Amino acid sequence: MIKLLKYRAALIGVLFGLFGGGLANLLAIEEMALYYTSLATMIALVVNLLVSFLLKGKWNLKIRNQLKYISVGLFFSLIVILITHTKFFLEGTFSYSDFDNNTSYHIKGSEYTQLAKKFKLENPYIESDNDLIREGFGSPEEKGKVWTQDSINQSWLKLLITYSLMVVFFVGLISILIEILMSKYEKTTRKSIESD
């Protein structure tokens, strides 16, 4: 355990490389999969090193209490940003099922183009964005004809910012907890391991 904690930067980097890949697969937004994986690893490393740097100092009761409040704050911030990111995911993406019945998610906008509005008026049977893309425009690559580019960019930005904040809060919380475990409990853990 102690050896694992000593290599926490590598551990955090690997964990969040996997975390980013897992989240990219979980949310499966085609256009953002590369961003999610790359961003998670970079943010994880920077936040972990920053927390480690900030916590290398004298421990006293005031600092210990502040770390408790910071950890609780990071945990609740993580919950709030997870909910916010999920909301933006639901509002800012559409699912598309191809002919093999494989479903993928793509970023959409919030404002339809004149061409899409006209198509929806002429075809009242269109009920979802998936139907609109499939019946009117053929594929997700044509989404620029369905939504304005500004609204697509806004959805992209919201998803990227909330994802980045989610990684920052998660890495910050884990880094603080690992740093506390390593610096405060290393001696007692080592004694218990050596006595066995």
Side-chain angles (χ1 to χ4, degrees):
M1 175 81 171
I2 299 302
K3 288 182 181 178
L4 189 62
L5 289 176
K6 285 183 180 177
Y7 300 104
R8 65 192 175 282
L11 172 69
I12 293 289
V14 169
L15 283 175
F16 289 98
L18 296 173
F19 169 71
L23 188 59
N25 290 333
L26 177 67
L27 297 177
I29 302 173
E30 296 298 318
E31 295 99 345
M32 296 188 81
L34 182 62
Y35 281 100
Y36 278 174
T37 306
S38 303
L39 203 56
T41 307
M42 288 189 300
I43 291 173
L45 181 61
V46 170
V47 171
N48 183 38
L49 294 175
L50 180 64
V51 166
S52 183
F53 171 73
L54 293 174
L55 292 180
K56 294 291 183 193
K58 293 188 176 182
W59 284 80
N60 59 35
L61 185 61
K62 182 180 177 184
I63 291 175
R64 193 173 12 184
N65 288 335
Q66 287 176 348
L67 286 176
K68 288 178 185 177
Y69 296 133
I70 290 171
S71 296
V72 170
L74 283 172
F75 175 74
F76 285 113
S77 299
L78 178 63
I79 299 299
V80 168
I81 204 68
L82 280 169
I83 292 168
T84 305
H85 185 73
T86 303
K87 177 182 180 284
F88 289 155
F89 174 76
L90 294 173
E91 292 173 352
T93 62
F94 67 95
S95 63
Y96 180 80
S97 299
D98 61 15
F99 296 109
D100 295 329
N101 217 18
N102 296 323
T103 302
S104 58
Y105 291 90
H106 302 270
I107 297 174
K108 69 177 185 177
S110 56
E111 184 180 333
Y112 290 112
T113 62
Q114 292 300 324
L115 184 61
K117 288 177 185 176
K118 180 181 176 190
F119 186 82
K120 284 182 75 168
L121 284 174
E122 293 171 355
N123 301 283
Y125 62 89
I126 299 291
E127 297 179 359
S128 68
D129 291 328
N130 186 0
D131 292 340
L132 179 61
I133 290 288
R134 179 183 303 289
E135 300 297 325
F137 299 91
S139 73
E141 285 76 28
E142 302 297 323
K143 69 181 181 181
K145 295 178 181 175
V146 179
W147 294 280
T148 63
Q149 191 60 47
D150 284 342
S151 66
I152 292 171
N153 291 344
Q154 287 175 0
S155 293
W156 181 289
L157 191 60
K158 286 178 184 178
L159 287 166
L160 195 60
I161 288 171
T162 54
Y163 176 78
S164 297
L165 288 174
M166 186 170 48
V167 172
V168 167
F169 293 144
F170 192 71
V171 173
L173 180 60
I174 296 299
S175 297
I176 287 173
L177 295 175
I178 287 175
E179 190 67 35
I180 291 169
L181 283 172
M182 192 181 118
S183 61
K184 293 305 289 178
Y185 301 110
E186 181 177 8
K187 293 176 184 174
T188 58
T189 309
R190 183 179 294 150
K191 286 179 185 175
S192 66
I193 289 171
E194 289 173 357
S195 65
D196 290 341

